[in-house]
C-alpha cells in the first residue's frame, strides 16, 4: 500500500455504461467525492476497447487508472471486453470493476475468471447507488495502490 494518498493527482476513470440514469448517478457520486478525477464515459463494448487501446476516435485517450464496466452492453458485452483486456499483457494490469445489475452467480464467476478486479451489483435505490460509488471511490482510489504508467515499464 502506498504511503502517499492518490488524491494528490487527478485520477482517470473509464465508465462503460449504456444506461443514462446510471451514468448520471455515477457522475453525481464522483462529483461529490473527495478524489480529484476525470470521468470518461463510453456507452458500448466497442467504444470501451477503442478507448482502452487508444484506437480510432480515442487515439489520444488517457490510460485509465480504473475501469467501471457494465456487463450488459450493446455491440460487445462486458465479458468480451474483459476477455480482450485479459489477452493483452499491457492492458490486463488496468483494474476493472464490474458494475452491473446482474446477481447471477455464473456472471460473478465468469467475471473473475476473466480477471475482473471486483464485482459489484448495482443497488436499485439511487441513494444506495451513490453511496456504493463513493465507497468504491474511497477504497480503490484512496486505499488501494493502482499501477501507474511508470510501473508498466
Amino acid at each position: 500500500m502506498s504511503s502517499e494518498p492518490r488524491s494528490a493527482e487527478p485520477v482517470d476513470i473509464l465508465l462503460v455504461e449504456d444506461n443514462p440514469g446510471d451514468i448520471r448517478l455515477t457522475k453525481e457520486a464522483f462529483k461529490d467525492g473527495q478524489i480529484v478525477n476525470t470521468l470518461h464515459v463510453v456507452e458500448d463494448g466497442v467504444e470501451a476497447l477503442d478507448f482502452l487501446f487508444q484506437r480510432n476516435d480515442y487515439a489520444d485517450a488517457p490510460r485509465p487508472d480504473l475501469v467501471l464496466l457494465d456487463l450488459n452492453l450493446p455491440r460487445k458485452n462486458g465479458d468480451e471486453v474483459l476477455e480482450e483486456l485479459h489477452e493483452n499483457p499491457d492492458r490486463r494490469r488496468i483494474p476493472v470493476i464490474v458494475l452491473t445489475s446482474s446477481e447471477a452467480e455464473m456472471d460473478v464467476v465468469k467475471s473473475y475468471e476473466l480477471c475482473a478486479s471486483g464485482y459489484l451489483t448495482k443497488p436499485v435505490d439511487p441513494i444506495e447507488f451513490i453511496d456504493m460509488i463513493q465507497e468504491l471511490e474511497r477504497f480503490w482510489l484512496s486505499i488501494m495502490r493502482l499501477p501507474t504508467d511508470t510501473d508498466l515499464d
Side-chain angles (χ1 to χ4, degrees):
M1 186 161 46
S2 175
S3 59
E4 189 174 313
R6 289 269 318 191
S7 59
E9 295 180 27
V11 175
D12 283 298
I13 302 164
L14 176 61
L15 174 63
V16 186
E17 175 62 68
D18 64 327
N19 180 314
D22 289 346
I23 293 169
R24 182 183 52 75
L25 287 173
T26 304
K27 285 180 176 181
E28 183 179 323
F30 278 115
K31 181 181 172 195
D32 293 342
Q34 298 182 0
I35 306 294
V36 177
N37 65 74
T38 303
L39 184 64
H40 307 273
V41 180
V42 296
E43 297 184 7
D44 66 52
V46 171
E47 279 188 279
L49 290 168
D50 282 351
F51 189 102
L52 290 160
F53 287 96
Q54 298 170 312
R55 303 184 295 223
N56 301 320
D57 292 342
Y58 300 99
D60 295 326
R63 180 188 183 95
D65 296 295
L66 182 67
V67 176
L68 303 178
L69 176 69
D70 189 14
L71 289 181
N72 303 310
L73 298 166
R75 301 203 301 165
K76 282 195 180 214
N77 66 36
D79 289 339
E80 293 170 302
V81 172
L82 281 170
E83 193 169 330
E84 285 196 42
L85 286 177
H86 179 64
E87 290 172 355
N88 183 285
D90 182 40
R91 297 304 190 263
R92 80 175 80 170
R93 295 179 184 146
I94 299 171
V96 179
I97 307 299
V98 173
L99 182 61
T100 186
S101 57
S102 174
E103 294 183 23
E105 186 64 22
M106 64 184 219
D107 287 339
V108 175
V109 170
K110 187 167 187 181
S111 293
Y112 282 114
E113 285 176 349
L114 293 171
C115 297
S117 303
Y119 189 102
L120 297 171
T121 303
K122 297 176 193 172
V124 176
D125 179 82
I127 293 172
E128 289 178 19
F129 184 90
I130 289 172
D131 288 346
M132 182 187 70
I133 294 296
Q134 289 176 340
E135 285 297 318
L136 178 143
E137 176 186 42
R138 277 189 283 283
F139 179 75
W140 280 98
L141 304 179
S142 292
I143 297 172
M144 294 296 293
R145 178 166 181 215
L146 299 175
T148 63
D149 286 338
T150 57
D151 292 334
L152 303 175
D153 294 332

